[in-house]
Structure formats: C-alpha cells, structure tokens
Amino acid sequence: MSNNFRKPQRGTDPQKPRPTPGQKPQQKAAAFREAQAARARRRRALLGLGAVAAAMAIGVGVGTQLTGRTAEAEETLASGSERPPAVPANTSGKDGVVVPYGDKNAKGTLTVYADMRCPYCAAVEKQLGPAVDKLVAEGTIKVEYRMAAFLDGALGGKGSHTALAALGAAANESPRKFYEYQHVLYANQPPEDKDSFASTAELVDLAKKVPGLNSATFNKAVKEKTYLPWAQKTGDRFHEYGVSGTPTFVVDGKQMTVLDDEGHPVSTKAFVEEVRNAIKG
C-alpha cells in the first residue's frame, strides 16, 4: 500500500498546504486554491526576473504529492491479485496506462496530464478542447492521455478512480469513444466538495450523451468496475512522470501554456500558435 504523501518531485512546491485530518472537502479545496494563487504570484515574480525555466518548473495547476489511492482500489487490487488486471483495448505503454488518440503519423504529439476531478482541467477542456479536436483532425497532432487520480486523496472520495475506470471502459470500445466521453465528464464535472463521479450509475447515465457508447458491454464494465485496477495503476504511474500538477500539456517535449497567471485558460489563438511553433521547432 502506498503512503498518502510522496517526497516532492522536481517542479513541485514542498511548502503547499497538505490536507489536515478532519478537514471538510470545502476547506481542502480552498487550501488548493490558496496554493494555486501563491504559485501564480511566485510565477509572476520569476518571470519578472527572467527566470522562465524556473517558472515552467513551478507551473500552474493543482499539483500534489498525494498518491490518491483509495481504500476501495486497494481492496480491489488485493482481491484480484491472483489474476492480472483487465487492460482496456486501444491503450499503449507498459500496463496500457497511456490512451492514444489520433493519427499515429501526425506531425507532433500532445501529451495531456489530467485528473477528472480537477476543475482547472475541466476549464481548459471547455476552452481548448475544440482546438485540440481540430488539430487532431487535420493531422497536426496526435494525443496521448496520461491520467492522474490524486484528487481522491486530496479531497476524499473515489470519483477520480471510478471515472478513470469508466474512461477505461470507453477506451476499450474505441479511442474516439474515450475522447468524447471525457468531454462529457468534464462538461458535467461536480463541484470539488461533491463526489458524484464515484457513482457508477451517474457515469453510465452520462455515457448516454456519447452516441453508441451506452452499450451492454460498456455498462457492465462500468458497473462492475472492471477497469478499476487499471485506473489505480494508471493513477499511480502519474507520479513517475515528473509532472508537478494538472492540467499539463506537453508538445514534443515542450510544455504548453494552458493557464494564465491567474489560473484562467489561455485563448484558443495563443494555444494553437504555441502548439504549431513547438512542432516547427
């Protein structure tokens, strides 16, 4: 079983508030927002000194050192220890923890690091999602999703892991179904103090918004949490990437700016221009 806290990784802020036992979800969420604002202030100061590299290392997001492992996920892994966990089709990398989307021969690769309970991820998705879709359609980029699930540990609950397991069921249907389903989940993301994504009934109901996804096979996998061990492994692997927070977008090794210094999504025009420049470079 993993510990609740990890040693600070490169680019993390070891002084950001850690959840205190007994804190309410609203208090924990407020602590994360306070850390976000402090990190933005440090970023502006560093940029003023010309320390661009340092600012990129600090990043803007809701980074954490939490593993976010839930008791339910631990129990599932233990009970299934005699058989290998189910891995969704259409995934790649060791243990299938990477979900690719788009033409494998695209000019560049966009790597997306995100947590389904992360409000900043939802905001970025709503703002920049259509641009990503267009860039994929025209063959400029393909996308690799490397998902996190640390907010279960930060805010309490099971929603990050359960939603990720449902996304695994969608990926098993097709990359496009995964892609569309995560759009739907972000569009219906509950507040930080609500753990609605822990409900498989809620996740199945939301899948009805994706044409062709709400099949008997998909519903069964979600309700039985077939891909929960995979979701746990995928979430654990996030801590090995050296990424300080979510959302993080990287194109061919270069981190993109998706949030401004105040934590708001950047403009579509600025994002697309930065992506194209990264691919040219």
Side-chain angles (χ1 to χ4, degrees):
M1 180 181 295
S2 299
N3 294 325
N4 285 335
F5 296 96
R6 296 172 62 88
K7 293 181 180 179
Q9 297 174 335
R10 183 174 182 270
T12 61
D13 179 2
Q15 296 182 350
K16 64 173 171 284
R18 293 179 174 181
T20 302
Q23 274 189 316
K24 295 180 179 180
Q26 296 95 327
Q27 294 173 318
K28 296 178 182 179
F32 274 98
R33 285 192 290 270
E34 181 182 347
Q36 168 76 16
R39 193 176 297 107
R41 289 193 293 271
R42 288 194 294 275
R43 178 183 172 89
R44 288 195 295 272
L46 287 169
L47 286 172
L49 293 172
V52 178
M56 288 177 64
I58 292 175
V60 180
V62 286
T64 181
Q65 296 123 25
L66 296 170
T67 64
R69 174 163 288 180
T70 64
E72 180 179 356
E74 292 283 6
E75 182 180 348
T76 300
L77 289 175
S79 62
S81 59
E82 295 181 358
R83 58 183 175 82
V87 175
N90 306 306
T91 57
S92 63
K94 183 180 179 182
D95 300 315
V97 299
V98 179
V99 183
Y101 173 69
D103 184 351
K104 65 179 181 180
N105 296 316
K107 297 176 183 177
T109 301
L110 167 63
T111 304
V112 174
Y113 303 89
D115 187 311
M116 295 312 299
R117 290 181 72 184
C118 168
Y120 297 99
C121 297
V124 167
E125 163 59 30
K126 290 172 186 177
Q127 172 77 2
L128 304 180
V132 171
D133 200 26
K134 183 177 180 180
L135 289 167
V136 169
E138 68 187 28
T140 300
I141 59 172
K142 60 181 177 295
V143 188
E144 290 186 349
Y145 290 93
R146 299 174 182 260
M147 305 300 291
F150 58 76
L151 282 176
D152 283 350
L155 299 175
K158 307 169 184 176
S160 288
H161 285 92
T162 310
L164 182 51
L167 279 171
N172 191 65
E173 298 291 318
S174 75
R176 182 68 189 182
K177 294 285 196 305
F178 169 93
Y179 187 72
E180 293 179 352
Y181 189 42
Q182 55 107 19
H183 288 338
V184 169
L185 293 184
Y186 279 133
N188 294 274
Q189 186 187 71
E192 291 168 298
D193 60 344
K194 301 294 183 182
D195 195 26
S196 302
F197 281 171
S199 167
T200 57
E202 173 77 7
L203 295 169
V204 166
D205 189 56
L206 289 173
K208 296 175 183 177
K209 298 178 183 291
V210 179
L213 179 59
N214 199 237
S215 66
T217 301
F218 170 83
N219 292 346
K220 183 174 185 291
V222 174
K223 292 176 181 177
E224 296 182 358
K225 301 182 181 179
T226 302
Y227 298 107
L228 185 59
W230 169 83
Q232 181 61 60
K233 190 176 290 289
T234 300
D236 285 350
R237 191 66 56 81
F238 172 80
H239 300 287
E240 301 176 11
Y241 297 140
V243 175
S244 62
T246 60
T248 295
F249 283 38
V250 178
V251 172
D252 293 347
K254 179 182 172 75
Q255 184 168 327
M256 301 292 97
T257 302
V258 294
L259 292 169
D260 63 20
D261 290 341
E262 301 302 324
H264 303 300
V266 299
S267 70
T268 298
K269 180 180 179 180
F271 171 72
V272 171
E273 183 177 349
E274 188 174 19
V275 169
R276 294 191 188 281
N277 288 338
I279 293 173
K280 288 180 182 179

